[in-house]
């Protein structure tokens, strides 16, 4: 097998090195790293079409070899699948993000949308995130990611489906297990901070408190709050199928 590893925090992020190392040690196959050369957190699903993209040799935080691009995480996956990486890729694993990606955050997350780009390219994708504000050791999450990757390789995933994995920020012996979850409901506490530059022109920061979520039973939020790893299958079909019949009755 050939596994592509990427992230949205940049090629020197410690979570990326931990993930690549765990996948190499798992014996699942060859591991290639192609990641952004800078932080793209909350970048969403990006496709760069109006400027050139460059790929250069780089090093991970542990000194091992990698490739780095000036594109977004989803660009990195697209570049690899389209031929920058010559050898066929069988699986894409994105992470390890230093904050969880739960609920509606998946639409903002460069970590998750890199896995989405893999699925668009007909390659299974896994996104991995860790609640590091509570416990900043990436190695347990990396080993869990390798176990999930082993299962995906053995069993496969349905077309247009990826796995979003969130690991609680706990020592490995305190993680209570794994729950298969659904996407929860995010609660955003954003505020607008308006300022004026020295020339008298207003500018803005989007700030406020960190988002929270409803820990409803069966959701990714509840699993993480209870000390479990959350594994959520996500699909690219965003159609609200239950509304199609109703909309057909509209006077359009």
């Amino acid at each position: 097998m050939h596994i592509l590893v990427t992230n949205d925090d940049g090629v020197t992020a410690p979570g990326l090195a931990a993930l690549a190392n765990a996948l190499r040690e798992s014996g699942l196959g060859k591991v290639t790293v192609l990641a952004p050369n800078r932080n793209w957190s909350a970048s969403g699903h990006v496709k760069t079409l109006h400027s050139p993209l460059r790929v250069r040799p780089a090093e991970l935080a542990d000194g091992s070899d990698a490739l780095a691009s000036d594109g977004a995480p989803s660009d990195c996956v697209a570049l690899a699948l389209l031929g920058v990486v010559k050898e066929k890729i069988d699986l894409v694993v994105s992470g390890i993000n230093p904050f969880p990606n739960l609920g509606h955050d998946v639409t903002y997350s460069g970590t998750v949308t890199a896995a989405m780009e893999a699925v668009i390219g007909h390659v299974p994708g896994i996104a991995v995130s860790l609640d590091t504000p509570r416990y900043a050791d990436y190695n347990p999450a990396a080993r869990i990611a390798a176990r999930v990757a082993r299962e995906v390789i053995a069993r496969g995933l349905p077309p247009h489906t990826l796995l979003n994995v969130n690991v609680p920020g706990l020592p490995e012996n305190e993680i209570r297990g794994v729950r298969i979850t659904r996407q929860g409901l995010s609660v955003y506490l954003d505020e607008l901070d308006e300022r004026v530059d020295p020339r008298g022109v207003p500018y803005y920061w989007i700030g406020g408190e960190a988002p929270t979520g409803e820990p409803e039973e069966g959701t990714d939020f509840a699993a993480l709050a209870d000390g479990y790893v959350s594994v959520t299958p996500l699909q690219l079909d965003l159609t609200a199928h239950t509304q199609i019949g109703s909309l057909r009755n509209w006077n359009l």
Side-chain angles (χ1 to χ4, degrees), residues 2-156:
H2 185 199
I3 303 171
L4 176 73
V5 177
T6 191
N7 73 348
D8 74 350
D9 297 296
V11 71
T12 60
L16 180 68
L19 177 60
N21 187 52
L23 290 168
R24 289 190 180 108
E25 290 184 349
S26 71
L28 293 173
K30 179 180 178 180
V31 174
T32 298
V33 178
L34 174 50
N37 61 8
R38 64 175 180 84
N39 191 312
W40 282 79
S41 294
S43 62
H45 203 162
V46 174
K47 179 169 281 188
T48 300
L49 298 177
H50 301 293
S51 60
L53 293 168
R54 301 187 186 277
V55 177
R56 294 186 171 91
E59 286 188 356
L60 301 181
D62 61 4
S64 56
D65 291 338
L67 296 170
S69 169
D70 53 356
S74 43
D75 285 324
C76 291
V77 174
L79 287 167
L81 297 184
L82 290 171
V84 167
V85 175
K86 303 304 180 186
E87 191 175 335
K88 177 181 176 293
I89 294 167
D90 302 296
L91 174 67
V92 174
V93 187
S94 177
I96 297 169
N97 199 67
F99 298 96
N101 280 302
L102 307 167
H104 298 148
D105 281 354
V106 301
T107 63
Y108 296 111
S109 167
T111 305
V112 176
T113 54
M116 289 181 179
E117 187 68 24
V119 172
I120 289 172
H122 308 291
V123 174
I126 304 170
V128 186
S129 304
L130 172 66
D131 193 3
T132 57
R134 298 167 66 188
Y135 185 74
D137 182 359
Y138 289 96
N139 292 304
R143 288 188 284 270
I144 289 166
R147 293 206 296 272
V148 174
R150 184 178 298 278
E151 289 297 301
V152 169
I153 289 169
R155 302 171 186 270

Side-chain angles (χ1 to χ4, degrees), residues 181-203:
T181 57
R182 69 181 187 275
Q183 196 178 332
L185 179 63
S186 299
V187 177
Y188 292 103
L189 305 171
D190 294 345
E191 294 179 357
L192 186 66
D193 184 0
E194 181 176 356
R195 304 182 187 186
V196 178
D197 70 17
R199 293 177 175 82
V201 180
Y203 66 98

